[in-house]
Amino acid sequence: DIQMTQSPSSLSASVGDRVTITCRASQSINNYLNWYQQKPGKAPNLLIYAASSLQSGVPSRFSGSGSGTDFTLTISSLQPEDFATYYCQHCYGTPPGTFGQGTKVEVK
Amino acid sequence: EVQLVESGGGLIQPGGSLRLSCTASGFTVSANYMNWVRQAPGKGLEWVSIFYSGGATYYADSVRGRFTISRDSSKNTLYLHMNSLRAEDTAVYYCARESVAGPDGEYYYMDVWGKGTTVTVSS
């Protein structure tokens, strides 16, 4: 099974900061990588699919990059509503892939 | 409006059974790939099961042989039948639609999620 490892597990940041979260796959997954945002008590929300494609309705301050085993989610200018937990998930093969353990973005 | 609504969660004793339901509106369950994903208290997301539009089903190793996914087209509803429940099955259970993108339909992502239903396995 492909394992997904995110780093860091948590980070503290301020409004306006540039935030970067990393996700590493245990083997190459090309660009079959999704990113989700989850706020406390809420369902996850899709941000990015195919490593870098922005889901409709998601603000352009979110971006994704990477291919192979190393991927990055970047928030260009952190907004108050962005404090949340972020998960990567691979979609390489069938069935749906494992999620990373999550990265919690907290207020500094 | 595209929407998923889960129901059926509750408190159940270890070894018991429960059936979760997920009713869709705004799209057809049987024409889509439909998932169950769970989240234990304070933990991350864990994929549980999928029902493909063509009828194939898959399960996570942790639930295979105990859980069964099914659907009822007449009710536009997805189900998760859970047997031999364990304390470690305690979680919020979400259903999620999986959509496809790319020139060859090679990218899959969960773009519609329900609010979840809570299952607590405890004596």
Side-chain angles (χ1 to χ4, degrees):
Chain A
D1 290 359
I2 300 172
Q3 303 303 314
M4 308 300 294
T5 303
Q6 291 181 230
S7 61
S9 296
S10 64
L11 64 89
S12 298
S14 301
V15 172
D17 284 352
R18 182 180 182 89
V19 170
T20 299
I21 298 169
T22 297
C23 179
R24 175 164 290 176
S26 58
Q27 68 181 70
S28 177
I29 57 170
N30 296 325
N31 63 337
Y32 298 117
L33 193 283
N34 304 322
W35 289 99
Y36 299 87
Q37 176 194 65
Q38 186 181 33
K39 297 180 180 179
K42 302 294 186 182
N45 181 52
L46 176 70
L47 298 175
I48 302 278
Y49 65 93
S52 60
S53 295
L54 195 67
Q55 171 69 348
S56 175
V58 174
S60 59
R61 63 181 179 273
F62 291 93
S63 64
S65 64
S67 185
T69 60
D70 294 318
F71 302 87
T72 298
L73 173 70
T74 299
I75 310 171
S76 60
S77 179
L78 195 67
Q79 297 302 300
E81 60 268 30
D82 300 337
F83 291 99
T85 300
Y86 295 85
Y87 294 92
C88 63
Q89 181 212 14
H90 82 80
C91 55
Y92 185 81
T94 300
T98 49
F99 293 87
Q101 81 277 18
T103 295
K104 186 174 183 179
V105 176
E106 299 176 299
V107 177
K108 191 171 186 177
Chain B
E1 181 190 5
V2 172
Q3 192 176 357
L4 291 167
V5 178
E6 302 96 334
S7 61
L11 174 63
I12 187 76
Q13 291 190 337
S17 299
L18 208 57
R19 187 187 77 168
L20 306 183
S21 301
C22 170
T23 300
S25 54
F27 71 97
T28 302
V29 164
S30 60
N32 285 271
Y33 303 168
M34 298 296 300
N35 293 274
W36 287 100
V37 175
R38 69 183 181 183
Q39 186 170 36
K43 302 297 184 182
L45 301 169
E46 179 188 15
W47 172 79
V48 173
S49 182
I50 188 169
F51 202 126
Y52 286 103
S53 55
T57 60
Y58 290 87
Y59 300 90
D61 289 345
S62 58
V63 307
R64 188 175 298 116
R66 300 187 299 122
F67 291 9
T68 302
I69 193 170
S70 66
R71 67 189 182 193
D72 184 332
S73 299
S74 67
K75 296 181 179 179
N76 208 28
T77 297
L78 180 76
Y79 299 101
L80 187 67
H81 307 260
M82 305 186 295
N83 296 322
S84 303
L85 282 161
R86 307 166 179 168
E88 54 264 36
D89 295 318
T90 294
V92 176
Y93 285 73
Y94 298 101
C95 68
R97 183 182 76 177
E98 185 158 302
S99 288
V100 177
D104 299 316
E106 67 270 39
Y107 299 107
Y108 304 86
Y109 48 85
M110 299 180 198
D111 63 338
V112 180
W113 295 70
K115 296 182 187 299
T117 187
T118 300
V119 173
T120 304
V121 184
S122 175
S123 55

